């Protein structure tokens, strides 16, 4: 006899899926595989765009710095990407500077980062590869733009819950 798909639990850690709230474990497993798929995608897309040496974090930092063509400080980038460890972002910024993808402007004690012409061109090439390889086939998933926006809103709301839980766990 087949198991009802609605009763099937797809989790990575069965011991975390026992009792009340087991659905959170299923959600977390979905996040794990989505995160790993997304980071793999970013690296392969960036490789196709011509820069295979960038890590997922470096790619995110580059795109965030390029966002709206505005200068950003280390703290701005960390805040927008919800990254607590500024050292990892600082390392990414140094690598992007070394590759001539970013430029800096120091004002007093603050350093502002901006995408260089080379960095903007790379972001544009990434966008083209993304359109060709991802956006053209995304409609075949049956998920439309409005549904993607709803999923994104739910993920942002849940990230707040995980942030609050991490603060609570740190105080134990």
């Amino acid at each position: 006899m087949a198991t009802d798909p609605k009763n099937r639990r797809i989790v990575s850690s069965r011991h975390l899926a026992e009792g009340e709230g087991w659905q959170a474990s299923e959600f977390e497993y979905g996040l794990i595989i989505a995160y790993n798929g997304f980071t793999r995608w970013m690296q392969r897309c960036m490789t196709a765009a011509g820069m295979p040496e960038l890590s997922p974090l470096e790619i995110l930092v580059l795109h965030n710095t390029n966002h709206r063509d505005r200068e950003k400080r280390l703290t701005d980038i960390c805040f927008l990407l919800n990254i607590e460890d500024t050292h990892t972002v600082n390392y990414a910024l140094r690598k992007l500077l070394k590759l001539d993808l970013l430029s800096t402007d120091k004002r007093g004690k603050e350093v502002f980062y901006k995408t260089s012409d080379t960095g903007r061109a790379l972001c544009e090439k990434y966008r083209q590869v993304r359109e060709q390889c991802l956006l053209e086939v995304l409609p075949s998933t049956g998920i439309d733009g409005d549904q993607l926006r709803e999923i994104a809103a739910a993920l942002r709301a849940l990230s707040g819950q995980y942030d609050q839980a991490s603060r609570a766990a740190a105080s134990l």
Side-chain angles (χ1 to χ4, degrees):
M1 178 162 53
T3 306
D4 180 2
K6 290 183 179 182
N7 293 329
R8 190 175 312 137
R9 296 179 184 185
I10 302 172
V11 298
S12 65
S13 301
R14 182 72 180 175
H15 67 282
L16 298 177
E18 298 299 327
E20 199 64 32
W22 65 267
Q23 298 89 341
S25 189
E26 188 168 2
F27 168 75
E28 290 165 352
Y29 182 58
L31 276 180
I32 291 166
I33 60 175
Y35 169 79
N36 287 317
F38 181 62
T39 58
R40 185 171 39 256
W41 153 250
M42 283 191 300
Q43 285 188 289
R44 301 241 170 96
C45 185
M46 189 56 80
T47 296
M51 190 66 65
E53 59 267 33
L54 295 185
S55 72
L57 178 59
E58 292 157 355
I59 295 166
L60 289 173
V61 170
L62 176 63
H63 284 301
N64 183 267
T65 306
N66 193 56
H67 179 60
R68 295 188 178 171
D69 196 31
R70 292 184 187 157
E71 297 176 319
K72 295 179 183 73
R73 299 168 300 162
L74 171 66
T75 56
D76 300 325
I77 296 165
C78 290
F79 177 75
L80 290 168
L81 294 176
N82 196 22
I83 297 174
E84 191 174 271
D85 187 357
T86 59
H87 299 293
T88 59
V89 175
N90 197 34
Y91 180 82
L93 288 166
R94 286 196 314 264
K95 182 174 176 180
L96 295 168
L97 283 165
K98 188 175 181 180
L99 291 169
D100 193 34
L101 299 173
L102 299 180
S103 62
T104 61
D105 182 27
K106 190 169 184 179
R107 295 182 210 142
K109 294 182 180 182
E110 300 224 276
V111 178
F112 290 82
Y113 297 89
K114 187 171 177 111
T115 322
S116 67
D117 291 341
T118 305
R120 279 189 295 284
L122 181 61
C123 287
E124 175 59 24
K125 180 66 177 161
Y126 183 101
R127 185 187 68 75
Q128 292 168 3
V129 173
R130 181 176 178 264
E131 284 180 4
Q132 178 185 351
C133 296
L134 180 67
L135 298 184
E136 287 181 8
V137 297
L138 203 53
S140 68
T141 65
I143 301 172
D144 67 24
D146 288 337
Q147 290 170 309
L148 282 175
R149 292 191 75 208
E150 289 174 21
I151 293 167
L155 286 171
R156 287 189 303 272
L158 286 164
S159 75
Q161 295 300 309
Y162 278 93
D163 283 342
Q164 179 59 37
S166 70
R167 286 189 289 278
S171 69
L172 295 178

